[in-house]
Amino acid sequence: MKTALRLTRPRVAAVVTAALVPFIGLATPASAATSVNFDCEANAPVVGPQHVNLKQDATVTAPATVTAGGALDVVIDPAPNTVPGEVSGYKVKEIKDFALKIPIPANSTFVSADLAGGSGLGSTPPKLTVANGMATLAFPGPIAGGSTFELPTVTAHLKAGTSGKIETKLAGTSYQDPGLTFTAVVNQIVDISAPTACFPNPSPVFTTTTIG
């Protein structure tokens, strides 16, 4: 499946972008367009919690079927985005400490993942780590306000289980259980760091692969 994702609303939390990164395989892919809404809360000192909704796009390729025990590849190619230079009267200095969580789908096993490309993300390359059934794409940044950047293309390698369906979704159910986190640094006389927590609301299934 190919899913188009694009950041569409530049607010405090919208300084973030993510390659909406569902994990599933690649074999005779289908195509479809999907928009995902992120419900975000930025906790800024003095100002207090600020809420915003985000919409994001990415291109994701996945198979409709896979044999039991077969190998699956997924390719996620994020679109470029631009960090706003100013939000609600605040100058955006940078965003940093980005982390996006993706559960390893039921009926599959994570094997490995490759990252390629990406630009404008700071001096430390992004990394994808997996622990306790959760994959996390993370990098420290910073990404300067007003700059254009692109997350890396992710190729994830999975092994199918014996039966059933492999469905991919993003992690996160609330501000207390986020699937996406980052820190926005804005300036109004002084720098203000606002840790931001986001979750997909609603949380759609991105891809479905039938084992058999």
Side-chain angles (χ1 to χ4, degrees):
M1 173 185 296
K2 286 188 177 179
T3 303
L5 292 144
R6 189 187 304 270
L7 182 64
T8 59
R9 187 176 180 183
R11 298 282 306 275
V12 172
V15 254
V16 73
T17 189
L20 237 50
V21 190
F23 271 21
I24 195 120
L26 173 65
T28 315
S31 296
T34 296
S35 250
V36 176
N37 181 73
F38 270 92
D39 190 343
C40 298
E41 182 178 76
N43 285 293
V46 182
V47 177
Q50 302 293 311
H51 296 94
V52 65
N53 291 323
L54 307 176
K55 287 186 179 179
Q56 290 187 280
D57 292 342
T59 300
V60 182
T61 307
T65 62
V66 64
T67 58
L72 308 173
D73 279 355
V74 60
V75 178
I76 308 102
D77 185 10
N81 279 290
T82 301
V83 178
E86 184 176 311
V87 174
S88 300
Y90 291 88
K91 180 181 178 181
V92 178
K93 181 178 180 179
E94 63 189 25
I95 62 170
K96 60 182 182 179
D97 302 332
F98 176 98
L100 176 70
K101 295 182 178 181
I102 312 99
I104 303 303
N107 302 317
S108 73
T109 302
F110 178 82
V111 177
S112 64
D114 305 317
L115 301 181
S119 62
L121 304 177
S123 59
T124 303
K127 291 184 178 180
L128 187 74
T129 58
V130 177
N132 302 317
M134 187 71 68
T136 302
L137 178 68
F139 60 91
I143 306 174
S147 65
T148 298
F149 63 98
E150 185 174 3
L151 293 171
T153 297
V154 179
T155 301
H157 310 290
L158 302 176
K159 180 179 179 180
T162 57
S163 63
K165 293 182 178 181
I166 301 172
E167 295 184 336
T168 61
K169 298 179 70 174
L170 292 177
T173 59
S174 66
Y175 304 136
Q176 293 72 40
D177 176 33
L180 169 65
T181 57
F182 61 95
T183 298
V185 181
V186 298
N187 183 275
Q188 194 175 58
I189 302 177
V190 297
D191 288 348
I192 300 173
S193 293
T196 303
C198 308
F199 66 99
N201 184 21
S203 182
V205 173
F206 293 103
T207 60
T208 300
T209 296
T210 301
I211 301 171

